[in-house]
Amino acid sequence: MRAVVYDRYGPPEVLRLEDVERPVPMADEVLVKIHATTVNRTDCGVRAADPFIARFFTGLRRPRRRILGTELAGEVEAVGAAVREFGVGDRVFGLNDWLFGAHAEYICMRESAALAHMPAGMSFEEAAAVCDGAILALNGMRPANIQKGQHVLVYGASGSTGTAAVQLASYFGADVTAVCNTKNLEVVKSLGADRVIDYTKQDFTKNGETYDAIFDAVGKLSFSRVKGSLKPGGVYNPTDGLWNIILAPLTSRIGGKKVIFPTPPRYTKDDVLFLKGLIEAGKYRPVIDRCYPLEDVIEATKYVETRQKTGNVVLTINGDRPR
Ligand SMILES: NC(=O)c1ccc[n+]([C@@H]2O[C@H](COP(=O)([O-])OP(=O)(O)OC[C@H]3O[C@@H](n4cnc5c(N)ncnc54)[C@H](OP(=O)(O)O)[C@@H]3O)[C@@H](O)[C@H]2O)c1
């Protein structure tokens, strides 16, 4: 099968297409023929070994796993003897967590992994882009206990995690203020934000408003900067910044305003099923910026690394067209 492989950490050019052996499912695994995957920030961070500490998990000198790609949508091609939930031909979507391997024509995943039947009426391209940003946002919002009547600010509301966070906070009943650049105001409003702030025109930390939760979807803020914009007992929920690993337990003991930073994020089948339900109820949609064929993975990766994508960047495999 064709797969995008890399043998050393470095810039997007370390990626290349290669013919590799097609995996064979174990008893509790399904073999999925992948029709669409994504290039996300996890792929880029792991490939570049940024932050360096990531190497302790992905291979100190060189990558332990040669194929990147966490998100996928495709069709079940074969199932192991013990598999009950899926059958050949089922359309599935999900996320292969820290095992990667989705930048390829086929992947094996355990039946119990973060994998589910695709939402009705969804294309493979859309389904591939559902899980990463949304589950990262859920990881932060659940411990923050986002609920009806709360005021939530989502900073970086136009990215993969940001577009998900706006929709999820809105679904949980919060009054949502979204912060993004001028060019993304309309798309962010269309996701259910109650109000939007253009960060090129206004600094939300200086407008006198306060929030129950501030969700930083692009890792650009800091607790010290946003503290004055939190209500008493409010939470700051970053998605990046190693220092937040220290701040989270410290602020949890001191009381008052807190940092919530669940790390590493957990990706579960329950979350994939939760998102499927939201999509089928018309309460969630993935935002897709661009689609590239698998062969153009370097170009796609370079675009993701501009850090200016709106939502998600999809790779299509086997010449699939949106359905
Ligand atoms: N290192 C890793 O391995 C890793 C892995 C996964 C996730 N993460 C972290 O997870 C978070 C989410 O990633 P993501 O993939 O959702 O991000 P993303 O999609 O790459 O975010 C891109 C969006 O952020 C907006 N943006 C950029 N700078 C901004 C600023 N200063 N203020 C407001 N918006 C800004 C961009 O729009 P404009 O430029 O037009 O404003 C663009 O729409 C990030 O904090 C990321 O670092 C890290």
Side-chain angles (χ1 to χ4, degrees):
M1 68 169 185
R2 288 181 316 145
V4 177
V5 302
Y6 77 127
D7 294 307
R8 64 182 173 89
Y9 298 115
E13 287 77 7
V14 299
L15 301 169
R16 64 177 193 282
L17 266 183
E18 199 176 277
D19 277 320
V20 302
E21 216 156 294
R22 191 208 270 201
V24 178
M26 316 254 275
D28 61 347
E29 288 183 337
V30 295
L31 174 70
V32 180
K33 180 177 185 186
I34 302 176
H35 291 288
T37 177
T38 61
V39 178
N40 58 38
R41 290 286 300 279
T42 303
D43 298 319
C44 295
V46 169
R47 189 213 69 244
D50 177 22
F52 186 88
I53 196 174
R55 288 178 186 238
F56 289 100
F57 305 97
T58 59
L60 208 52
R61 286 160 62 88
R62 62 180 66 86
R64 231 176 271 132
R65 297 178 188 280
R66 298 181 75 216
I67 306 173
L68 290 169
T70 57
E71 294 175 283
L72 63 118
E75 280 167 289
V76 174
E77 179 89 359
V79 296
V83 170
R84 298 286 170 266
E85 187 183 344
F86 302 104
V88 172
D90 287 358
R91 291 155 64 98
V92 293
F93 78 122
L95 190 140
N96 204 25
D97 209 346
W98 304 107
L99 297 172
F100 298 92
H103 290 171
E105 288 179 317
Y106 294 89
I107 191 169
C108 280
M109 284 176 72
R110 291 175 79 166
E111 178 178 39
S112 59
L115 188 73
H117 289 99
M118 264 171 56
M122 197 168 229
S123 70
F124 290 121
E125 284 79 359
E126 290 170 313
V130 167
C131 290
D132 184 51
I135 298 181
L136 189 60
L138 278 175
N139 268 266
M141 279 182 189
R142 287 213 175 107
N145 197 19
I146 302 300
Q147 48 185 281
K148 197 170 168 52
Q150 286 188 329
H151 288 255
V152 173
L153 180 134
V154 177
Y155 188 82
S158 53
S160 170
T161 314
T163 52
V166 169
Q167 296 181 78
L168 292 167
S170 181
Y171 170 75
F172 290 133
D175 179 288
V176 181
T177 299
V179 184
C180 63
N181 202 338
T182 321
K183 69 176 195 290
N184 288 313
L185 292 174
E186 286 313 313
V187 69
V188 167
K189 263 187 223 162
S190 78
L191 299 174
D194 296 284
R195 57 198 66 78
V196 286
I197 295 176
D198 182 342
Y199 74 78
T200 67
K201 303 214 168 89
Q202 193 191 126
D203 180 346
F204 81 89
T205 63
K206 300 208 170 103
N207 68 7
E209 298 290 334
T210 53
Y211 303 91
D212 297 288
I214 295 179
F215 188 87
D216 177 7
V218 283
K220 300 279 182 187
L221 302 172
S222 63
F223 186 47
S224 56
R225 184 167 162 214
V226 304
K227 219 171 161 185
S229 302
L230 286 172
K231 291 183 193 291
V235 297
Y236 169 54
N237 192 179
T239 48
D240 215 341
L242 291 177
W243 55 93
N244 288 310
I245 295 174
I246 297 161
L247 275 181
L250 271 182
T251 55
S252 80
R253 283 195 200 104
I254 291 165
K257 301 172 185 180
K258 295 188 192 335
V259 176
I260 290 185
F261 189 45
T263 191
R266 289 188 65 234
Y267 298 90
T268 65
K269 184 188 284 288
D270 282 348
D271 283 343
V272 181
L273 289 168
F274 172 72
L275 292 167
K276 173 179 151 79
L278 286 193
I279 291 163
E280 289 177 339
K283 308 258 185 235
Y284 187 83
R285 69 176 167 95
V287 173
I288 295 177
D289 185 334
R290 296 184 183 179
C291 289
Y292 295 83
L294 185 69
E295 304 78 69
D296 292 344
V297 64
I298 294 179
E299 206 184 313
T301 301
K302 285 180 173 168
Y303 181 57
V304 171
E305 292 191 349
T306 63
R307 301 194 173 185
Q308 292 195 319
K309 67 182 164 72
T310 304
N312 301 278
V313 168
V314 171
L315 292 176
T316 55
I317 309 184
N318 297 324
D320 272 32
R321 297 268 61 86
R323 291 204 235 160

